[in-house]
Amino acid sequence: MLDLNQIELATEEDRQWKLDYWARLLKTRTWEELKMLSQQDEIFQETCETVFRLNQDDEVRYWCEACEEADRVARTIESRYKKDLAKKNAIIAEQGNVIAEQEQVIAQQKAENERQLAERDAQIARLQALLEQK
């Protein structure tokens, strides 16, 4: 049982479960008091915002809900964008690795081709020398 007039008698366990805080929250008489209490804890802030919204007229409540939905959608889009961007960056990095490997293979092939050409040039030079001796 929670007696809103006996908040100061809250036990340590009551404080651990924040029952004293809930009692103060329920006992507030003005929106200013409610706002001040809500600034101490994120969960209570959300609760106070909900209480405030529920006490507004239907049109204001509709616009508040629309704004919240727009915020949720924006956060979802941003989250998906970040995930997609991370995937694309990973793909680009992998492609960079593949290109580096291909460039290394090409460089090795080029070095091998130059070595083979040098061997053939040496053979041609030897053969020409033999022909000139005859």
Side-chain angles (χ1 to χ4, degrees), residues 11-26:
T11 65
E12 188 57 39
E13 184 180 359
D14 292 338
R15 286 186 186 89
Q16 281 181 324
W17 290 98
K18 296 188 179 186
L19 293 178
D20 60 322
Y21 193 85
W22 280 106
R24 274 190 248 113
L25 197 70
L26 294 171

Side-chain angles (χ1 to χ4, degrees), residues 81-95:
Y81 171 78
K82 287 179 179 179
K83 286 178 186 175
D84 288 347
L85 184 61
K87 286 179 185 176
K88 288 177 184 176
N89 286 339
I91 290 170
I92 290 170
E94 181 61 31
Q95 288 173 341

